[in-house]
């Protein structure tokens, strides 16, 4: 191994430390990638990769349009109407309210791809509902948290878009191909969170809301079914177009724009405000989501220039049965430590996943495994944004939540590796 290789490993170690300490993710990845390119005597490789990643067409179209649509749905409160519509039949389920709330959160997360955004919309209704039904505040918050896994079903999600693009298929095709895995993991999460909460006697709560927000209406007096349908419109179009009605098969961006049109028509929102909100969301999508993808690309370029990627691939070729386990374990651990698996997942998928065939796997298989493992790790990290948000809504400590989600997420991780 060359001196450059060992210096790159030191930079990688410092990068991990900086990420765990929660320094700005994009800055850390870009600086680390640039440093590795500099010690490899090719600094332009970092700048070239940055420029290349900025104009990745399928990522920009899918992610920015999906985020723009999500912002519009939130602005018009269509997401609240959907939550209210789905939660009203659940008030008398007793113990079964726990798994039902987890699965309902997963369903809504498919329409609202942001874990924190989904938790905010769902938690305001479900947490008081569960507490009034005799579930402790920590149990209520954890049940919602365990369901923030449904974003895998959203074709505008950054990871499905990135992996499907590398595999040469449409995002919805990738999701349909892996839907069984996502469904099983969601069911395992719902079952295990119920088992854990019963063991901790979370179903024997006092029903006292205390200082917890008691307005479960989300500011709406009556559910409008047309509003409630809006968040699901693009998802239904893409699902039908890729399965039973190929005549309406279209790209993610086109489906999101049809969703925007539908939302504007049924809510009769001022078109100027609608477009402002859509493009605010699109800009956030580029800055916050694509920004991490671009930065992860620069980091991966540094790893390639320093010879780290080649060394890793050779090692995985010698023991290719461990490639899947190693990728899943690494990204899961980073997600637990950092509160987000995005940086590790994007970097791994950028650098290693394109070589999946060299160790007996497809790009879709390896990329999907790494993505799922990272999301499971995030759901049991006490410093994850969604965990902190739900802890505040439940008036408990983040540790109280992850104490309940840790066993379900670890169980799901083992099922992912051993059986899916």
């Amino acid at each position: 191994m060359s001196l450059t290789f060992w210096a790159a490993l030191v930079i990688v170690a410092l990068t991990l430390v900086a990420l765990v300490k929660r320094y700005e993710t994009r800055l850390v990845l870009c600086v680390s990638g640039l440093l590795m390119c500099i010690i490899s005597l090719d600094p332009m490789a970092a700048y070239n990769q940055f420029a290349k990643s900025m104009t990745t067409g399928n990522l920009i179209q899918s992610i920015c349009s999906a985020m723009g649509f999500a912002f519009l749905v939130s602005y018009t409160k269509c997401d609240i109407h959907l939550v209210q519509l789905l939660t009203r039949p659940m008030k008398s389920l007793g113990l079964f309210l726990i798994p039902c709330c987890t699965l309902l959160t997963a369903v809504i997360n498919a329409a609202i791809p942001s874990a924190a955004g989904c938790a905010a919309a769902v938690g305001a209704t479900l947490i008081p509902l569960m507490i009034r039904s005799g579930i402790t505040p920590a149990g209520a918050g954890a049940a919602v948290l365990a369901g923030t896994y449904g974003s895998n079903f959203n074709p505008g999600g950054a990871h499905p878009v990135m992996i499907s693009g590398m595999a040469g298929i449409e995002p919805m095709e990738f999701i349909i191909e892996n839907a069984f895995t996502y469904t099983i993991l969601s069911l395992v999460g719902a079952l295990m969170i119920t088992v854990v909460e019963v063991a901790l006697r979370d179903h024997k709560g006092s029903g006292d809301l205390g200082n917890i927000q008691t307005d479960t209406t989300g500011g709406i007096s009556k559910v409008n079914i047309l509003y409630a349908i809006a968040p699901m419109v693009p998802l239904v179009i893409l699902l039908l177009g890729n399965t039973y009605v190929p005549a309406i098969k279209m790209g993610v961006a086109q489906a999101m724009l049809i969703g925007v049109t539908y939302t504007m028509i049924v809510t009769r929102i001022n078109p100027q405000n609608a477009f402002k909100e859509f493009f605010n969301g699109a800009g956030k999508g580029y800055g916050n989501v694509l920004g991490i993808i671009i930065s992860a690309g620069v980091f991966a370029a540094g790893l390639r220039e320093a010879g780290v990627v080649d060394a890793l691939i050779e090692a995985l070729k010698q023991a290719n049965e461990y490639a899947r386990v190693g990728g899943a374990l690494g990204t899961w651990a980073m997600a637990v430590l950092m509160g987000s698996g995005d940086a590790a997942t994007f970097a791994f998928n950028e650098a290693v996943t394109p070589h999946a065939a060299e160790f007996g796997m497809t790009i879709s298989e390896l990329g999907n495994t790494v993505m799922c493992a990272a999301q499971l790790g995030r759901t049991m990290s006490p410093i994850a944004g969604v965990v902190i948000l739900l802890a505040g809504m439940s008036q408990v400590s983040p540790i109280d939540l992850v104490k309940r989600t840790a066993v379900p997420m670890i169980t799901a991780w083992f099922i992912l590796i051993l059986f899916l």
Side-chain angles (χ1 to χ4, degrees), residues 70-359:
F71 266 56
L72 179 60
V73 162
S74 177
Y75 181 76
T76 55
K77 293 193 175 182
C78 289
D79 54 343
I80 304 298
H81 284 268
L82 175 62
V83 171
Q84 292 293 319
L85 176 68
L86 296 178
T87 55
R88 288 191 175 179
M90 300 173 61
K91 296 181 180 178
S92 58
L93 291 175
L95 176 62
F96 294 103
L97 190 59
I98 296 172
C100 286
C101 285
T102 298
L103 293 174
L104 176 60
T105 303
V107 170
I108 294 173
N109 199 190
I112 307 173
S114 163
C118 173
V122 172
T125 298
L126 288 186
I127 290 174
L129 172 64
M130 283 189 278
I131 294 173
R132 284 200 184 103
S133 301
I135 297 166
T136 64
V144 174
L145 174 60
T148 56
Y149 190 78
S151 60
N152 287 341
F153 288 100
N154 191 292
H159 296 293
V161 170
M162 181 179 183
I163 299 167
S164 63
M166 289 162 43
I169 58 177
E170 289 294 320
M172 201 64 208
E173 291 178 55
F174 172 81
I175 290 170
I176 292 171
E177 181 182 307
N178 295 287
F180 179 75
T181 297
Y182 306 150
T183 302
I184 293 298
L185 293 178
S186 296
L187 291 173
V188 168
L191 173 63
M192 291 306 299
I193 195 70
T194 306
V195 171
V196 169
E197 294 196 9
V198 168
L200 294 174
R201 301 185 65 78
D202 281 328
H203 62 304
K204 300 291 185 181
S206 65
D208 182 15
L209 285 166
N211 295 324
I212 293 173
Q213 170 62 258
T214 58
D215 178 15
T216 62
T217 66
I220 62 173
S221 57
K222 182 180 178 182
V223 173
N224 185 316
I225 187 68
L226 296 178
Y227 282 39
I229 291 171
M232 304 301 293
V233 168
L235 193 60
V236 171
I237 291 173
L238 289 167
L239 181 61
L240 291 177
N242 282 273
T243 52
Y244 304 111
V245 192
I248 63 170
K249 184 175 181 179
M250 65 185 70
V252 172
Q254 290 87 334
M256 293 297 167
L257 290 173
I258 290 175
V260 169
T261 304
Y262 173 88
T263 304
M264 290 174 62
I265 291 172
V266 298
T267 62
R268 298 185 299 280
I269 185 178
N270 184 320
Q272 294 186 88
N273 293 338
F275 268 67
K276 285 178 184 177
E277 205 61 31
F278 175 82
F279 283 107
N280 282 341
K284 284 277 188 181
Y286 194 97
N288 294 347
V289 181
L290 274 162
I292 295 179
I293 296 176
I294 293 167
S295 303
V298 174
F299 182 72
L303 293 175
R304 284 193 296 270
E305 292 299 317
V308 176
V309 171
D310 289 339
L312 178 59
I313 290 170
E314 284 303 316
L316 292 175
K317 284 181 184 177
Q318 301 304 315
N320 57 26
E321 66 272 20
Y322 298 115
R324 187 165 175 264
V325 176
L329 182 61
T331 50
W332 171 83
M334 287 303 300
V336 174
L337 291 172
M338 296 165 49
S340 170
D342 286 348
T345 306
F346 285 136
F348 185 93
N349 282 335
E350 177 78 29
V352 179
T353 300
H355 304 276
E358 297 179 34
F359 22 90

Side-chain angles (χ1 to χ4, degrees), residues 368-385:
N368 184 63
T369 299
V370 168
M371 174 187 74
C372 291
Q375 291 182 334
L376 293 172
R378 180 265 295 161
T379 311
M380 56 178 286
S381 171
I383 61 173

